[in-house]
Amino acid sequence: MNFLALAASRYTVKKYNLNGKISDETIKQLKDILRLSPSSINSQPWKFTFISDEDVKRKLASVSYFNEQKINEASHLVVFSAIDDIEKFEEQINRTLPQGNIDYYNNFLKPLPESEIKSWLQHQVYLSLGFFLSACASLAIDSTPMEGIQNAEYANILQLNGYKVLFAVAIGYRNPEDTNQPSMNPKSRLQLEEIIFSI
């Protein structure tokens, strides 16, 4: 299937198949793909936590508002977090990045207020989300990206010190009766002419 067809067929799953477990081999592929996600200056200010343990998944589901059922039904939950400790981030880039990248950070980002630096770090994690959802679609895995979670509770349950939880993605295989799939509920998007411009 080409990418346009994948984009047309993927959707946000509302109901998962309880018996649809993703294989360890496929999960390893997804981990490797996330590791290769793009970020500005190759900053990589993130942590991705894969949860398959049912007890932990239930705890997280209980602090996920209207997303509780989806998380409990899904095979795995992946939690996306950004470094929330600027000193820790600077230590990381000084250890791993070429001098030119470090100079860019020091000249253009470090002088900014702390809140703007942290916002920039979090934007990098959002870049990885699109990459991840596309990877899932390419592997015939269904997904549900979710900001409707209690972020601080997630961080506490997962003991993510020095990181800020931003969102989570439930992954698994759709229930055939899920009424949100495009065959039952066609995608609604703005017309191309309204959002795409050529100069």
Side-chain angles (χ1 to χ4, degrees), residues 5-17 70 73 133-134 136-138 140-145 169-189:
L6 286 175
S9 63
R10 89 146 301 276
Y11 74 105
T12 296
V13 173
K14 303 297 185 187
K15 190 173 179 61
Y16 284 92
N17 178 354
K70 296 169 211 144
E73 290 176 348
L133 296 179
S134 299
C136 286
S138 76
I141 295 168
D142 295 308
S143 59
T144 308
V169 181
I171 56 175
Y173 300 103
R174 71 187 71 174
N175 185 312
E177 297 177 2
D178 183 9
T179 57
N180 203 44
Q181 54 193 307
S183 62
M184 299 184 191
N185 183 21
K187 285 194 172 201
S188 174
R189 297 291 189 273

Side-chain angles (χ1 to χ4, degrees), residues 5 20-21 36 42 56 62-63 86-87 98 109 113 128 145-146 181:
K21 292 300 178 187
L36 295 170
N42 197 25
V56 177
S62 72
V63 290
I86 292 174
E87 187 176 319
L109 294 164
S128 72
M146 301 172 288
Q181 54 193 307

Side-chain angles (χ1 to χ4, degrees), residues 10-199:
R10 89 146 301 276
Y11 74 105
T12 296
V13 173
K14 303 297 185 187
K15 190 173 179 61
Y16 284 92
N17 178 354
L18 277 168
N19 298 316
K21 292 300 178 187
I22 301 171
S23 71
D24 291 343
E25 180 185 344
T26 302
I27 290 296
K28 183 181 184 309
Q29 284 186 63
L30 286 173
K31 290 176 178 178
D32 288 336
I33 288 167
L34 269 178
R35 179 178 166 270
L36 295 170
S37 294
S39 59
S40 179
I41 67 166
N42 197 25
S43 51
Q44 305 173 76
W46 45 44
K47 180 175 281 191
F48 309 111
T49 308
F50 282 69
I51 300 108
S52 59
D53 181 278
E54 292 298 330
D55 289 337
V56 177
K57 201 147 64 73
R58 272 193 294 273
K59 286 179 185 175
L60 294 170
S62 72
V63 290
S64 301
Y65 304 116
F66 52 85
N67 290 307
E68 182 172 2
Q69 180 182 340
K70 296 169 211 144
I71 294 170
N72 282 328
E73 290 176 348
S75 173
H76 290 68
L77 183 68
V78 186
V79 178
F80 290 63
S81 309
I83 289 180
D84 200 42
D85 180 331
I86 292 174
E87 187 176 319
K88 179 176 183 173
F89 172 69
E90 292 175 352
E91 181 183 296
Q92 174 181 301
I93 63 171
N94 285 326
R95 179 171 43 85
T96 61
L97 294 186
Q99 191 59 46
N101 300 44
I102 297 167
D103 291 344
Y104 178 90
Y105 171 80
N106 287 333
N107 292 328
F108 297 104
L109 294 164
K110 189 167 183 169
L112 297 174
E114 181 177 310
S115 61
E116 290 190 36
I117 298 172
K118 288 186 176 182
S119 175
W120 179 83
L121 294 172
Q122 292 168 22
H123 287 155
Q124 308 316 309
V125 182
Y126 275 88
L127 287 177
S128 72
L129 174 60
F131 203 65
F132 183 70
L133 296 179
S134 299
C136 286
S138 76
L139 294 168
I141 295 168
D142 295 308
S143 59
T144 308
M146 301 172 288
E147 287 186 305
I149 61 175
Q150 295 181 47
N151 306 64
E153 292 295 331
Y154 265 57
N156 183 51
I157 291 167
L158 298 174
Q159 299 183 352
L160 292 171
N161 300 319
Y163 288 85
K164 180 179 177 63
V165 172
L166 300 180
F167 53 87
V169 181
I171 56 175
Y173 300 103
R174 71 187 71 174
N175 185 312
E177 297 177 2
D178 183 9
T179 57
N180 203 44
Q181 54 193 307
S183 62
M184 299 184 191
N185 183 21
K187 285 194 172 201
S188 174
R189 297 291 189 273
L190 294 172
Q191 293 299 309
L192 186 142
E193 295 77 16
E194 294 183 68
I195 60 168
I196 306 292
F197 298 88
S198 300
I199 298 174

